[in-house]
Amino acid sequence: MARFTAASKRLAAWAAQNADGAIALGLAIVVGVLGVLPDDVFGKDGVDIQRQLVSSSTLVILALVATALLRDRVRQAPVEETITSGALADLPVRLARLEQIETLVTGTRRALDSLQLVRVLGSRQEIAQAHADARKDTTRWSFKGGTGTYLRAVTLPECVAAARRDKRHLTVRIEVIDPSDVEVCETYAHYRRSLSDAPDGTGETWTTDRARKESYATILAAFWHRQRYGLLDIGVGLSSTMTTFRWDLSSTRLIMTVEDPNRAMTALADTFYYENCDTELRLSFEQARRVPLETYKRVPLSDEPTVEEVQELFERIGVPLPKSYDLRDIVDIARKALRARDPYA
C-alpha cells in the first residue's frame, strides 16, 4: 500500500507539472479506445457519434500539443539568449586562452624533458662510467678546472688513442689555472687543503708548488700529444681565477664534478643545461691567456722528454719555469705530464 501511495504521489506531481501533456496523453488513450469499440455500443447512430468523438478529441489533443510546444519554446528562449549572448560571445576569448594554455603546457613539457636529462651521480663508479661513456667515439672535448690531473691521467691519453685507432680528427680545449700566477696557485692549493689535509688519490697533499707543477704538466702533456698525432687540434688557456667546479664536455654529454669524488652531475647533449655550459666554456676559453701551441714543431719532445727539452719549451712559449726549480722539479713535471696517477682510482 505504501509503495502504491508513493507511486501515486510521484505520478500526480508529474501530471501537475506537465498538465497539458498529461491531458493530451489521456485523450489519446480515450481516442484509441473509442476507435476499437464496436459500432453498436453507441446505439443506432453509433458510427456518427463515434466519429464525432474521435474528431473532437483529436482536435483537443492537437491543441494541447501546440500549447505544450509554445510553452517549451517560451521556456527555451531565455536559455538560447543566454547561450548566444554569453557563451558563444565569449568563445573566441576562451579559444585564445585555450591556445595560450596549450603553448604553456608544451613549453613546460619541453623544459621537463630537458631537466630529466640532468642527473646526479652518487659514486666513483658512476662518475667513472659517465666519463667512459663521454669519451666513447667523441670528436671533441672541452675541459675547465684546476690543474687537469684526471685529464692528463685518463681523458687525454684515451681520447687520443681512440682517435688514432679510428683515424679521425679530435678537437680538445683545456683551461687550467696559470702556473706563472703564484697568487691563483696559492688560492687553489689553500682551497684544496681546506677540504682535506690528507693526501688525495695520487698520494700527495696540495701545496702551492704542487698546483704550479700540475698546471705546467698539463701544458707539457698538450704539446707532447700534439707532436705525436697530426689530427689532434688542441688548445690550452691559462686562467688567473680558480673555479670550484670541473667541467668535462664531449660530443655526447657534460660531466660536472666537484672535490667530493662521489658526487657529480651529468647532462646529455642537446639539452638546455648542456648547451649553456658549452657556451660558458667557449667564452671562458676565449678570455683565458692562450698558450701558443702552434709552435709545437719548434721544440721537439722525446718520448721521454729531457730536462733541456722541457726548459726550452717553456721558455719559447713565454711561460718560463721558476728559476728556483732544479733538475728534480723538472723531472717531476715531466712525470706528471706523461705518467699522471688517476686521482679517483
Side-chain angles (χ1 to χ4, degrees), residues 1 3 18 46 52 94-95 125 135 139 162 169 173 198 208-209 226 228 239 241 248-249 317-318 334 342:
M1 187 64 181
R3 293 182 179 179
N18 302 275
Q52 290 178 1
R94 295 187 180 185
L95 289 176
Q125 293 76 17
R135 291 191 299 267
T139 57
H169 184 268
R173 294 293 178 264
T208 302
D209 184 59
R226 179 65 183 89
R228 278 155 181 77
S239 176
T241 58
D248 286 279
L249 186 142
I317 65 175
D342 183 354

Side-chain angles (χ1 to χ4, degrees), residues 133-136 138 249-254 267-270 274:
D133 293 339
R135 291 191 299 267
K136 185 177 180 181
T138 188
L249 186 142
S250 73
S251 304
T252 58
R253 69 177 61 223
L254 163 78
L268 298 180
D270 298 326
Y274 176 95

Side-chain angles (χ1 to χ4, degrees), residues 11-151:
L11 182 60
W14 178 85
Q17 187 176 3
N18 302 275
D20 46 5
I23 295 172
L25 178 61
L27 288 175
I29 294 173
V30 172
V31 170
V33 173
L34 292 176
V36 299
L37 287 176
D39 296 339
D40 56 0
V41 173
F42 298 94
K44 182 179 179 181
D45 299 326
V47 176
D48 295 334
I49 296 173
Q50 186 179 26
R51 290 178 178 174
Q52 290 178 1
L53 288 174
V54 170
S55 299
S56 301
S57 300
T58 301
L59 291 175
V60 173
I61 291 172
L62 292 175
L64 291 172
V65 171
T67 303
L69 291 174
L70 291 173
R71 184 194 62 184
D72 289 341
R73 183 168 296 178
V74 171
R75 290 178 178 177
Q76 291 176 1
V79 177
E80 293 176 354
E81 184 179 359
T82 301
I83 293 175
T84 53
S85 62
L88 292 179
D90 296 339
L91 186 58
V93 177
R94 295 187 180 185
L95 289 176
R97 290 179 181 176
L98 184 61
E99 184 177 356
Q100 292 176 356
I101 293 173
E102 184 178 357
T103 302
L104 179 62
V105 170
T106 302
T108 303
R109 184 183 297 112
R110 189 181 300 113
L112 290 174
D113 289 341
S114 297
L115 287 175
Q116 70 181 3
L117 296 179
V118 178
R119 187 165 61 92
V120 175
L121 307 176
S123 69
R124 293 172 184 261
Q125 293 76 17
E126 280 190 299
I127 296 173
Q129 185 59 49
H131 276 91
D133 293 339
R135 291 191 299 267
K136 185 177 180 181
D137 299 328
T138 188
T139 57
R140 58 180 290 233
W141 196 281
S142 296
F143 171 83
K144 177 181 178 181
T147 59
T149 306
Y150 183 82
L151 177 82

Side-chain angles (χ1 to χ4, degrees), residues 166-186:
D166 298 337
K167 298 179 176 58
R168 55 180 165 78
H169 184 268
L170 176 65
T171 301
V172 179
R173 294 293 178 264
I174 304 169
E175 183 179 344
V176 293
I177 57 175
D178 190 341
S180 61
D181 190 332
V182 179
E183 184 176 351
V184 69
C185 292
E186 182 178 0

